Amino acid sequence: MLFDSHTHLNFQAYSEDLAEVIKRCQDFPMSLVNIGAALDTSVKAIELAKNNQNFYASLGLHPIHVFDEDFAVDKYQALISDNKNKVVAMGETGLDYYHFDEVEEKYRVSFADYVAKQKEVFVKHIQLAKENNLALVVHGRNDKNNSLNCYQDILSVLKEQQVKKAVIHCFGGSLKDAQDFISAGFYLGFTGIITFDKTGVLESIVKIMPADRILIETDAPYLTPQPHRGKRNEPVYTQYVAEKIAEILNLTKEEVIEQTFENAKNLFLSK
Ligand SMILES: [Zn+2]
């Protein structure tokens, strides 16, 4: 079964036609994890998981939102405890150097303070994930000049904290970064970007991936793959990511769908 390992049907972008988007998922059929980016969208992810077969939830405060609200550990713990079969991961959490400008403008913080706060919140997610035996969904993004590498900093945190079960979603690091995450046993998530990436970096990364560490995702409503670029993304479009990976690896689309489903099950659903 197709498995979208990172999607946001819990976001405003679907407020008008959520039922229809969900129906297309159920008709496909497919499984997915809705990813929280703040407390309200985490709650919404759980609600969607409760109401729909094969839907799961990940709870977290996105690194770009760490100054918008406090990461209330007790509230997240209560949500996990009350929804044991539906909450499968913590995140998205991690380090984002890309959006520093906007946060600096809004909160007048230095880059060092921005990163320190992101790390503090990241570690709190890790602790909750470990205490509850949940996977970790990690977000990383380098700065706008691509000169500050968030990925090596993320890897240091994961190693320091002895994290075992994590996916680096929408992987955007170098081939070397990818090799380092693979060696440490982590999963990498690939989005629709792979269908239009002209740098060749993602393709070279897919080629060195162990089959059992590849996840596919939409990150919907963002990052719409070909042939729908320019429109809002949605979970069923995960199939185009599978198709592209199949093409790169000389496999059938069905083989990629099967393998990535097993991988998602191992990461999110095995206790
Ligand atoms: Zn996301």
Side-chain angles (χ1 to χ4, degrees), residues 83-97:
N83 300 282
K84 279 218 155 39
N85 297 324
K86 286 300 181 178
V87 177
V88 296
M90 289 304 298
E92 56 190 300
T93 181
L95 302 174
D96 186 304
Y97 299 165

Side-chain angles (χ1 to χ4, degrees), residues 7 10 22 25-26 61 114 165 212 219 229 262-263:
T7 195
N10 47 339
I22 289 174
C25 295
Q26 307 292 23
L61 180 62
Y114 176 60
K165 302 199 300 178
D212 64 357
D219 202 14
R229 261 195 105 183
E262 286 305 316
N263 298 348

Side-chain angles (χ1 to χ4, degrees), residues 6-8 11 35 62 92 139 169 217 219-220 222:
H6 190 114
T7 195
H8 299 286
F11 282 10
I35 310 284
H62 194 289
E92 56 190 300
H139 166 101
H169 107 88
E217 57 168 294
D219 202 14
Y222 316 111

Side-chain angles (χ1 to χ4, degrees), residues 7 21 27 56 69 72 119-120 156 162 190 219 222 235 246 263:
T7 195
V21 178
D27 288 349
Y56 300 94
E69 66 184 52
K119 275 192 185 158
E120 178 199 315
S156 301
Q162 301 179 328
F190 297 91
D219 202 14
Y222 316 111
N263 298 348

Side-chain angles (χ1 to χ4, degrees), residues 199-269:
T199 67
V201 176
L202 286 174
E203 194 163 328
S204 64
I205 292 172
V206 166
K207 284 182 178 158
I208 63 155
M209 288 298 294
D212 64 357
R213 286 297 179 269
I214 304 176
L215 291 186
I216 54 176
E217 57 168 294
T218 55
D219 202 14
Y222 316 111
L223 311 179
T224 311
Q226 295 285 21
H228 298 291
R229 261 195 105 183
K231 285 193 275 176
R232 183 189 64 181
N233 204 356
E234 65 175 78
V236 291
Y237 294 169
T238 315
Q239 63 181 298
Y240 301 110
V241 181
E243 204 168 80
K244 182 65 191 182
I245 289 177
E247 184 193 310
I248 295 167
L249 296 177
N250 250 323
L251 297 167
T252 65
K253 181 167 121 183
E254 288 68 31
E255 285 170 324
V256 172
I257 288 174
E258 213 38 56
Q259 176 74 58
T260 52
F261 178 69
E262 286 305 316
N263 298 348
K265 258 187 5 191
N266 285 335
L267 176 63
F268 294 119
L269 305 179

Side-chain angles (χ1 to χ4, degrees), residues 115-148:
V115 174
K117 184 72 180 170
Q118 289 191 350
K119 275 192 185 158
E120 178 199 315
V121 174
F122 187 15
V123 169
K124 286 181 182 167
H125 282 77
I126 292 172
Q127 286 164 348
L128 276 177
K130 280 181 167 177
E131 285 162 18
N132 294 281
N133 191 26
L134 298 171
L136 191 70
V137 175
V138 181
H139 166 101
R141 198 157 175 201
N142 293 339
D143 71 312
K144 283 171 183 152
N145 302 317
N146 210 27
S147 59
L148 297 169

